[in-house]
Amino acid sequence: GKNGFFSGKSGLEMTVSDWKKVIDDVYAASDKDDLPSFILWGGEPLVSPCFDEVAQYLHTLGFRIGIVTNGVLIDNHIDTCKNLIDRIYLSVDGPEKIHDSIRGEGVFKTLCKNLELIRGGKADGSGNVRLPGWDAPLPDPGRSVFLF
């Protein structure tokens, strides 16, 4: 988005063929009994028109897959997020009021609704969200909250 980590940056969008070449190169150089993980990030990965196909290719080869997302577009990729993604790192800016003041009204509720859509999937329970600077009491002394 306009305030995101890569705002103001430019570059070429990778095609599915580009992604597969990179993935094949990593696969060829890897120990097949200990494949590395891929974390899809860099802006919002769920915006990419090749997200589902790239995730499927990674999964087929046996890579573990993580994504860093704001969660708003999960509903457009339910099957992929539920069945292929091993870890989902969510961008949450705080409780609903704070989150929505930064991301836009209703975004927190959309995020929560979308997490319900993938509950019970492969990444269930592994999404860990850090809430830096939030002073509200949390169940985990490490200040981490499991959202799903």
Side-chain angles (χ1 to χ4, degrees), residues 3-142:
N3 296 320
F5 186 77
F6 290 101
S7 65
K9 305 288 189 260
S10 63
L12 299 175
E13 183 75 25
M14 290 178 67
T15 66
V16 172
S17 296
D18 295 332
W19 275 106
K20 286 183 175 182
K21 168 93 172 82
V22 170
I23 294 164
D24 289 342
D25 288 349
V26 172
Y27 187 78
S30 298
D31 176 352
K32 304 311 178 263
D33 294 323
D34 189 25
L35 289 172
S37 297
F38 270 80
I39 298 179
L40 305 178
W41 176 48
E44 174 56 55
L46 301 180
V47 170
S48 172
C50 57
F51 172 76
D52 293 312
E53 191 172 349
V54 168
Q56 180 63 55
Y57 192 68
L58 286 164
H59 177 76
T60 299
L61 291 176
F63 287 102
R64 290 184 49 81
I65 309 163
I67 61 171
V68 179
T69 178
N70 63 23
V72 172
L73 299 175
I74 285 174
D75 58 336
N76 294 332
H77 305 277
I78 296 169
D79 289 339
T80 298
C81 290
K82 189 169 187 170
N83 301 312
L84 304 181
I85 305 302
D86 297 289
R87 180 150 295 213
I88 299 174
Y89 300 90
L90 296 164
S91 300
V92 178
D93 300 303
E96 183 174 0
K97 185 175 179 180
I98 293 171
H99 186 80
D100 283 356
S101 74
I102 295 167
R103 305 269 177 169
E105 187 175 338
V107 172
F108 190 87
K109 279 186 173 56
T110 299
L111 164 67
C112 293
K113 174 190 66 90
N114 284 344
L115 291 178
E116 284 298 319
L117 295 173
I118 61 170
R119 182 182 292 278
K122 187 174 185 179
D124 187 50
S126 65
N128 191 4
V129 179
R130 303 287 295 170
L131 302 174
W134 187 23
D135 294 326
L138 297 174
D140 179 348

